[in-house]
Amino acid sequence: MKTNFIKSLFLVVGITAFISCDDQLDIENTNRLAEEEYYQTEAEAQATVDAIYNGLIIDGNYQRMIPAINDARGDETRSRSPWAFLIGTANFTIPPTQPDVQIAYLGFYTVINRANQALAAIDRIEDIDPELRERLIGQAYFLRALTYFNATNIFDNVPLVLEVQSGSESFFPSNQETTQADIYAQVEADLNMAIERLPVNYDDPSWPDFGQDARATLGAANSLMGKLKLYQGDYEGALPYFESVVNSNVYDLAPNYGDLFSQDPALENANPGRIFWAEFTQSQNVDFNWGGDPTVNWRQFSAIAPTYSGADFYDFFPTQFLVNEMKQERTVDDELDPRYPATILSYLPEEGLTQAYGREFFLDQNENYIAKYTLANTGGDPFTCGINYHIIRFADVLLMYAECLANTGNIPLAASQVQRVRDRVNLPDREAEFAGYNLSQFMEQLDHERITELSIEGLRWYDIKRWGYLDDPAKLSELQDNDSDFATYSSNRKFQPIPQNELDRNPNLIGNSANQ
């Protein structure tokens, strides 16, 4: 079912700038409640956590910015956008003074501040079921962990704000002594709190949150913990978390790959491979969910659809490198890998691909366009696109698990995880071949498998970084061949710069390497 996170109430708990104390300016906002008037009931406890989820679907998070920033910097897409922010992000030249750099930064702290508010408030609500209280606290910790994981991977040394800001000093947090290792340690601590509290699912009909499947689960927290450790090169430490998800029998691969990127609620709900996702709908409400406080007229659409679509904003297109990777292997029936048309829109009449957006192909037949997370294969209004965004899905967990297994000496078991992903799309059985590879050979194959399964899902850039490609002259040259945007890459550009307007407002804040 679609979980409604729009109805949350927002509270007056602080300010973000100094305001005059003149009584004439003390205007009551009748659309908000003061903190002392709220946090009394179980429903209000749920609403304050719902507000955190709501922050995931604004422009600064998964509605557009997280996918766009991450996909722009990989070698699977190129940007042709007239928007200076997207072009500068794609070719690693974005300056800290570019005003739109702050969109994601503010989006992250929207979620973090709401999580802090929830954690501070829920414990003092007396009229609440104790088990529900624990589940809500677990969700708040998970969402804060997820957001700090994203924030540090995009902006590096962001300030750690772990309490509700309540005074002039706390409004100006410092990051001067904060490293990514510090932030990762906090993410791990938050995930440990979440793992202790989150359920496997929300299938108990006696619970007030029964059936609300978009909420964080134990599987989501274990998956993110494994990913956190993998990103730090701790393969041994990541293994038990991935194992718990893979062996839980809760998740499986969706039979039809294309169904993963459908806006049909029936197909979305039937998908056994979704672990955690951002919920979007096909609502036609008048207020767009770019940001700010939601209203009863809020739309909840995914802006990736018009941003990536060749028939709309057309800000990105697939590189020839991605096209070649997706065509590298055919199925056992000598057909095109079914992940190709789900990912790339091409005019290939020899493969039966002659449609675009629900009608005869009307775009340049010599060009390739992005299909994934757009309505390229179905048609429809991109500004009511309801495709849920996969934050964690089972195929990614299987491939991360395989990476950890290979790097801890168990390449045969790793090969079986890779083949499991391949089997879903009817590719040849090469498990025995992969099992005989040395680590270097296996990792080269895994690189290809992750591209074909997970391309244009905001993950490739992080694979490139953690595998050391940016620091290896030969690999960097390959990236430049794959995507000419890498021609202007420099070693201090592994992160987006801390926004200059944040540095100007906060005297305790310093920039990262990209600000230099």
Side-chain angles (χ1 to χ4, degrees):
M1 64 178 290
K2 289 285 183 183
T3 304
N4 186 351
F5 295 129
I6 295 179
K7 61 187 178 184
S8 314
L9 298 176
F10 292 84
L11 315 178
V12 179
V13 296
I15 54 175
T16 55
F18 293 109
I19 300 175
S20 170
C21 294
D22 190 327
D23 290 343
Q24 294 179 353
L25 299 182
D26 290 344
I27 301 172
E28 180 181 355
N29 184 343
T30 58
N31 294 315
R32 291 174 178 260
L33 295 174
E35 183 180 9
E36 61 271 14
E37 300 173 39
Y38 204 63
Y39 302 132
Q40 303 294 320
T41 69
E42 186 173 277
E44 289 164 352
Q46 289 181 273
T48 194
V49 172
D50 289 353
I52 315 172
Y53 286 97
N54 177 273
L56 299 181
I57 63 168
I58 62 175
D59 192 20
N61 275 284
Y62 290 102
Q63 192 212 23
R64 182 170 59 169
M65 281 296 109
I66 292 177
I69 290 171
N70 292 339
D71 288 331
R73 294 186 294 174
D75 57 352
E76 305 156 297
T77 70
R78 287 196 61 205
S79 179
R80 54 168 302 283
S81 177
W83 188 6
F85 169 74
L86 290 184
I87 286 289
T89 295
N91 63 23
F92 308 98
T93 63
I94 191 77
T97 53
Q98 214 290 332
D100 299 312
V101 173
Q102 73 173 339
I103 297 175
Y105 192 91
L106 296 178
F108 292 146
Y109 281 98
T110 295
V111 175
I112 289 165
N113 289 334
R114 292 180 187 179
N116 290 340
Q117 182 174 312
L119 290 168
I122 292 171
D123 257 344
R124 66 175 185 258
I125 297 176
E126 297 179 1
D127 184 18
I128 184 172
D129 175 82
E131 292 184 359
L132 175 62
R133 185 198 307 275
E134 290 300 295
R135 291 197 298 277
L136 292 173
I137 291 172
Q139 291 169 68
Y141 276 117
F142 172 82
L143 293 167
R144 189 171 75 176
L146 172 67
T147 305
Y148 265 120
F149 182 78
N150 288 331
T152 190
N153 278 300
I154 289 178
F155 290 109
D156 192 17
N157 57 325
V158 295
L160 276 169
V161 180
L162 305 176
E163 297 179 350
V164 175
Q165 294 165 280
S166 57
S168 59
E169 290 186 7
S170 66
F171 291 139
F172 299 105
S174 175
N175 65 341
Q176 295 187 32
E177 304 297 327
T178 304
T179 66
Q180 186 171 79
D182 296 326
I183 298 167
Y184 277 161
Q186 184 60 51
V187 172
E188 181 169 353
D190 282 358
L191 287 175
N192 280 325
M193 298 293 280
I195 287 168
E196 292 175 4
R197 292 167 170 81
L198 289 176
V200 172
N201 55 48
Y202 293 82
D203 290 351
D204 189 327
S206 68
W207 291 355
D209 46 8
F210 165 64
Q212 297 180 1
D213 295 331
R215 295 187 182 276
T217 61
L218 177 61
N222 279 324
S223 297
L224 185 56
M225 183 72 91
K227 187 173 183 177
L228 172 70
K229 291 183 175 296
L230 174 64
Y231 275 38
Q232 298 173 87
D234 184 4
Y235 303 111
E236 194 76 51
L239 269 177
Y241 294 99
F242 290 140
E243 283 174 348
S244 70
V245 177
V246 172
N247 297 332
S248 68
N249 296 318
V250 174
Y251 309 103
D252 202 352
L253 296 170
N256 186 337
Y257 183 83
D259 289 349
L260 291 166
F261 310 100
S262 168
Q263 64 176 346
D264 180 343
L267 293 177
E268 288 180 326
N269 293 338
N271 175 13
R274 60 182 190 169
I275 296 177
F276 189 69
W277 61 97
E279 282 260 328
F280 296 100
T281 74
Q282 298 178 59
S283 166
Q284 298 182 26
N285 287 344
V286 295
D287 294 338
F288 285 77
N289 51 301
W290 297 115
D293 291 0
T295 71
V296 293
N297 294 317
W298 228 43
R299 189 174 296 193
Q300 193 169 328
F301 89 106
S302 168
I304 305 173
T307 301
Y308 286 22
S309 168
D312 297 289
F313 293 168
Y314 192 18
D315 286 320
F316 294 98
F317 62 94
T319 60
Q320 189 60 44
F321 161 72
L322 176 59
V323 173
N324 294 342
E325 289 286 313
M326 298 295 297
K327 287 184 173 180
Q328 190 176 117
E329 281 190 273
R330 298 182 71 82
T331 70
V332 295
D333 300 320
D334 194 31
E335 294 179 346
L336 188 68
D337 186 328
R339 295 174 295 192
Y340 184 102
T343 305
I344 300 171
L345 176 67
S346 300
Y347 182 73
L348 298 172
E350 69 278 11
E351 304 286 357
L353 301 179
T354 61
Q355 300 280 309
Y357 300 91
R359 54 195 175 104
E360 287 300 309
F361 205 97
F362 59 92
L363 302 171
D364 187 337
Q365 296 179 0
N366 296 311
E367 298 293 336
N368 299 299
Y369 307 89
I370 294 175
K372 188 174 284 187
Y373 285 117
T374 77
L375 302 178
N377 290 317
T378 60
D381 180 0
F383 290 95
T384 62
C385 178
I387 302 174
N388 292 340
Y389 191 82
H390 293 285
I391 298 172
I392 306 170
R393 67 182 180 92
F394 190 54
D396 186 22
V397 170
L398 286 172
L399 294 177
M400 290 190 291
Y401 180 40
E403 183 174 347
C404 292
L405 287 167
N407 280 275
T408 53
N410 196 344
I411 290 178
L413 184 56
S416 70
Q417 310 308 310
V418 170
Q419 189 57 47
R420 182 174 177 182
V421 175
R422 292 167 56 87
D423 285 343
R424 187 259 301 278
V425 289
N426 204 29
L427 289 184
D429 187 345
R430 298 175 61 189
E431 180 179 340
E433 175 190 348
F434 298 159
Y437 284 174
N438 61 34
L439 179 58
S440 177
Q441 292 169 322
F442 184 86
M443 289 300 296
E444 183 177 350
Q445 184 65 38
L446 185 69
D447 184 332
H448 168 73
E449 301 292 344
R450 288 187 62 82
I451 291 168
T452 51
E453 176 67 25
L454 301 166
S455 59
I456 316 181
E457 296 186 41
L459 298 171
R460 172 66 176 170
W461 166 246
Y462 297 109
D463 291 347
I464 287 169
K465 282 212 300 184
R466 64 195 174 79
W467 290 338
Y469 289 5
L470 298 171
D471 304 313
D472 181 331
K475 284 293 187 181
L476 182 57
S477 178
E478 288 181 20
L479 293 173
Q480 291 166 344
D481 290 340
N482 296 345
D483 177 1
S484 59
D485 283 338
F486 277 87
T488 45
Y489 168 78
S490 60
S491 59
N492 67 320
R493 289 292 176 154
K494 292 180 181 178
F495 300 96
Q496 293 283 83
I498 301 289
Q500 186 60 49
N501 51 14
E502 290 294 318
L503 296 172
D504 293 341
R505 281 192 288 257
N506 183 352
N508 299 322
L509 199 63
I510 60 171
N512 59 31
S513 60
N515 289 85
Q516 298 170 5

